[in-house]
Each structure stands twice: as structure tokens, then as C-alpha cells.
Amino acid sequence: RFIRNLSEESIPRLCRDVYKRFFEQAPSGQNYFKQSTTRLYFIASKVMEMCMEIYKRPRELMEDISALGLRHVGYGIPTELFMPFVEAWSQAIYAMNVDEKTAASIRWSLTLISKSLIRTIVEGSTLVMKAINTNSALKFHKAISVTSRKKREQELLRVTVGTQSISPLLWAIQNGSFQVARAMIADLLTIRADRDNYYYGCDDLFRR
């Protein structure tokens, strides 16, 4: 009810207060929030929307959060920034003189969402995804070198957390990490063999 009843004037004021407190608590967060003010307000509005949706459709929202967390893996967002973000929101809400029950419910939902995001990011942060974030072919080769022939295609084409998945190769291309993307395609199109099978990633590349 509190979020739904926020006026058009109070929403921008709340957003400004949240980001001001967040950047004071975690200055490094400014490196990941370089968007325009309009975009920052949009992110804040999505946060408020999720706080309401967690009570209405928790199962569906958890799937949405998993998908969002996997995108954050690609962005290389440090998990250490999530709790200061939650704290900034909590302090900004308290500063609006809301009642204790409302503030506690919003903090609970924010904490649950952030912990779910952190879990998704930790589980989805493979060595290959980390190499993509640096656009280093050398780091990619080191990352994939520990993967068996049989599992290389899966490592390069699908990272799954819960019911959501992301393609590291597609993400590398979309993110402009072309050095790693080129190395990934070359690796997929390399013929390998063991005693029982040949492995060639061409079919898997187009199946994805």
C-alpha cells in the first residue's frame, strides 16, 4: 500500500535519497551505475515493483530474479554491493517516517530478493563468464582448459541456474567481448577425441 500510494513528487525524491545513501556507503557502486538519471529512476521503480510482486506471485518472481541474476553475471556486478543497496533503501524508507511494520516488510522483501540474486550470481559465475567480462582470450583459454572434452560445449553455450539459462557465447557477442567470442567459436569448432568418441561443437552451436 505504501508503494502504491507514493505520489509523483515523492518517488523521484525517494530515488535520489536511495542512490545518495548507496554511493556514500559503497562508493565503488558508482562504477556500475553510470546510466542517466532517467535510467536510474527506472531501476528504482523496478525495485519497488518487485517488492510488491514478491507478495503477489512469489514463484514467478523467483524465476524472473534468476534471469536477472544471470544477466548480472554478464555485467560483472560484485555481490558485495547488494547489501549496501538494500541498506540504502531501508534507510531512505525509514526517513519518510513510515510505520515500523511497513518498513520491516519492505526490508524483508528487499533482503530476500538480494539474497536470491547473490545466489544466482555465485552459481552462475563460471570461469568462462569471468573471462568474458575481461575480454581476455588468454583468460578464456585458461578457464576452459580444466573442462573435459565432453563438457566443453555445455560450458560455452549454456549456464543454468534454477530454471533459467544464458548462453556465454551469445553474451560475449552481445557484450562486445569479441576476442573471447572468437576464441570460443574456434574452441567449439575444434575436433577432439577420446577412446570412445569424437567431439565437435558445430551442431551444438546452431542448436542453441
Side-chain angles (χ1 to χ4, degrees):
R1 186 185 304 170
F2 164 76
I3 295 175
R4 288 198 306 267
N5 293 336
L6 286 172
S7 65
E8 292 185 3
E9 295 79 16
S10 60
I11 291 176
R13 188 165 59 251
L14 173 61
C15 293
R16 286 194 298 270
D17 193 22
V18 167
Y19 287 113
K20 178 177 180 293
R21 294 173 186 273
F22 173 60
F23 293 145
E24 287 175 352
Q25 296 180 37
S28 61
Q30 297 180 71
N31 298 327
Y32 301 93
F33 285 92
K34 299 178 181 179
Q35 301 92 334
S36 65
T37 301
T38 302
R39 181 63 181 175
L40 292 179
Y41 285 3
F42 171 77
I43 294 172
S45 69
K46 295 300 290 184
V47 170
M48 289 187 284
E49 181 181 321
M50 286 192 292
C51 285
M52 293 188 293
E53 292 298 309
I54 195 68
Y55 292 101
K56 296 178 181 178
R57 50 181 195 95
R59 187 183 298 275
E60 294 86 349
L61 185 64
M62 282 299 126
E63 293 187 4
D64 294 343
I65 290 173
S66 293
L68 178 63
L70 285 173
R71 290 198 295 273
H72 278 71
V73 171
Y75 297 141
I77 306 296
T79 56
E80 296 80 11
L81 294 178
F82 283 89
M83 294 318 294
F85 193 60
V86 171
E87 188 61 32
W89 268 98
S90 299
Q91 292 176 1
I93 295 295
Y94 272 111
M96 298 183 72
N97 297 319
V98 301
D99 63 90
E100 186 67 29
K101 185 177 180 180
T102 298
S105 65
I106 295 175
R107 183 181 181 87
W108 178 87
S109 58
L110 285 169
T111 302
L112 178 60
I113 291 168
S114 66
K115 287 184 177 180
S116 299
L117 284 171
I118 290 171
R119 179 185 63 82
T120 302
I121 292 172
V122 170
E123 293 182 7
S125 294
T126 65
L127 293 175
V128 169
M129 289 297 289
K130 291 179 180 179
I132 291 172
N133 291 333
T134 63
N135 194 24
S136 169
L138 177 60
K139 288 186 178 180
F140 163 74
H141 288 302
K142 288 182 178 179
I144 200 64
S145 65
V146 299
T147 305
S148 66
R149 300 179 184 92
K150 185 177 181 179
K151 295 183 177 180
R152 289 174 97 92
E153 290 88 353
Q154 180 179 345
E155 190 77 12
L156 300 183
L157 297 176
R158 182 175 290 104
V159 173
T160 302
V161 178
T163 61
Q164 302 296 319
S165 64
I166 189 174
S167 168
L169 174 58
L170 181 60
W171 183 264
I173 295 171
Q174 293 175 336
N175 199 44
S177 299
F178 298 124
Q179 292 186 30
V180 176
R182 189 179 299 112
M184 293 172 79
I185 293 173
D187 192 274
L188 285 165
L189 298 181
T190 299
I191 299 175
R192 297 180 174 85
D194 56 25
R195 288 176 133 186
D196 301 314
N197 297 291
Y198 285 96
Y199 301 99
Y200 183 51
C202 182
D203 291 340
D204 292 309
L205 177 62
F206 291 99
R207 186 178 299 120
R208 172 66 186 181

